[in-house]
Amino acid sequence: MWLLILYFICIEVGGDVDDAETVIVMERGVLNLQPGVDDLKGDVQILWSFESGRQNTRVAQMHQGKMYTHYNTQFTGRVQLEQTTGILTISDIRTNQSGLYEALIITSAHITAQRYIVHVYAPVSVPSIRRNSSVSVHQSTGTQHETEDFCSVFCSVKNDRDVSISWYKGSEIVNQNSNPDLSINLSLSLDLHYNDSETYRCTAVNPVSNKSVRLHKKEICSPQEDCLDHCGVTEALVRLVLSGLVGITAVGFLIEHLMLCSSQRRAAASV
């Protein structure tokens, strides 16, 4: 009885988490925690507990050679306690089961504790790349004024805990972004010249996974899509005028052809 009383006193006071070991695991994976002792012979009792926020509950217990794993309903059917080692195994771990895990090892001589801060992360989502707009940059060199056109694209991904998003040019990071506001998607823009031959990719990462998408520039930034979106104003006007001249020429040719046919029919009728 005094062992249980001492256990609840220790739980209520709480231990110093500065000596806790950090463990990172992917959601739906398997969590294995060592109790931190090599010899479990004799009258040894191990109490595994889980603390998240202000709630502290027992997960599993080993007492007099018997295993108990039915204390917490959120772990039902997914907890195992190894009899010879005291290793706690939780399968199909969930993100809401991140928190402080503690093993309290009680013998007739002393009490020791082993603590773990467990972070459970969901896999990062696959980012998506879309065209944003065209950007014109005006440069002046002496008496000359030049305009360069760039294709602007942006990459976005579902935001989550400790997620960041990056643009890579080859193996080099061009820019990077993260945001603690999980209610909005992460996004990151990139401006590139139409003649840029480099390979770009957008990568989203978190502590347990990463996903990348390659930028297919010919599909997203094709100069043939809509000239008014990315050509200079002068070039757009020239193309528009040329298109008009071609149309006028075609109409004139058609009228001339009709007149010729009409004159031929009148000549034939008068014979």
Side-chain angles (χ1 to χ4, degrees):
M1 176 64 69
W2 68 270
L3 290 177
L4 293 178
I5 294 174
L6 182 58
Y7 165 71
F8 286 112
I9 291 176
C10 293
I11 292 298
E12 182 67 24
V13 173
D16 185 4
V17 297
D18 290 341
D19 62 346
E21 182 180 340
T22 299
V23 176
I24 295 175
V25 61
M26 184 182 293
E27 184 183 27
R28 304 293 181 179
V30 178
L31 175 66
N32 291 303
L33 300 178
Q34 302 270 355
V37 291
D38 297 327
D39 187 8
L40 297 182
K41 296 178 180 179
D43 185 14
V44 179
Q45 182 176 184
I46 298 180
L47 301 171
W48 280 100
S49 64
F50 166 62
E51 180 179 343
S52 179
R54 295 184 178 181
Q55 186 176 9
N56 194 309
T57 58
R58 205 182 316 186
V59 177
Q61 179 179 358
M62 183 179 75
H63 181 55
Q64 295 181 347
K66 295 182 179 180
M67 307 295 115
Y68 304 92
T69 59
H70 59 277
Y71 297 106
N72 197 320
T73 56
Q74 68 172 309
F75 297 107
T76 299
R78 298 186 290 113
V79 176
Q80 291 183 347
L81 191 59
E82 215 286 321
Q83 185 173 10
T84 58
T85 63
I87 294 177
L88 176 70
T89 300
I90 302 177
S91 59
D92 195 21
I93 194 75
R94 316 290 170 78
T95 55
N96 62 353
Q97 289 156 7
S98 299
L100 177 65
Y101 289 78
E102 181 180 51
L104 199 65
I105 301 95
I106 305 171
T107 67
S108 58
H110 59 274
I111 299 174
T112 59
Q114 180 72 22
R115 300 180 182 89
Y116 297 92
I117 298 177
V118 176
H119 299 284
V120 183
Y121 290 90
V124 70
S125 302
V126 178
S128 62
I129 300 176
R130 297 181 181 178
R131 180 172 175 174
N132 187 13
S133 62
S134 295
V135 179
S136 295
V137 178
H138 302 277
Q139 296 179 342
S140 299
T141 55
T143 58
Q144 295 183 345
H145 300 276
E146 297 180 353
T147 300
E148 286 189 298
D149 297 305
F150 293 84
C151 177
S152 180
V153 297
F154 72 94
C155 181
S156 63
V157 71
K158 180 183 177 182
N159 199 10
D160 207 342
R161 186 162 54 103
D162 297 334
V163 171
S164 64
I165 190 171
S166 305
W167 274 111
Y168 281 83
K169 181 173 69 173
S171 58
E172 177 187 357
I173 293 182
V174 178
N175 49 19
Q176 191 175 50
N177 186 32
S178 62
N179 194 326
D181 185 358
L182 304 185
S183 64
I184 60 174
N185 287 339
L186 273 179
S187 62
L188 192 61
S189 62
L190 175 69
D191 297 334
L192 63 156
H193 198 278
Y194 285 96
N195 296 326
D196 192 340
S197 60
E198 294 287 346
T199 300
Y200 292 87
R201 76 179 189 275
C202 179
T203 300
V205 300
N206 70 0
V208 296
S209 63
N210 67 84
K211 300 287 178 56
S212 294
V213 175
R214 182 177 176 180
L215 171 62
H216 297 283
K217 192 172 57 177
K218 291 183 179 180
E219 298 177 5
I220 297 180
C221 293
S222 174
Q224 285 76 32
E225 286 182 357
D226 187 358
C227 181
L228 292 178
D229 283 344
H230 53 255
C231 296
V233 176
T234 302
E235 184 180 353
L237 289 175
V238 169
R239 294 195 181 190
L240 185 61
V241 171
L242 289 176
S243 298
L245 290 175
V246 170
I248 293 172
T249 303
V251 171
F253 176 79
L254 179 60
I255 293 174
E256 183 179 355
H257 178 71
L258 292 174
M259 292 177 62
L260 178 60
C261 291
S262 177
S263 62
Q264 289 178 348
R265 285 196 297 270
R266 286 197 301 266
S270 61
V271 174

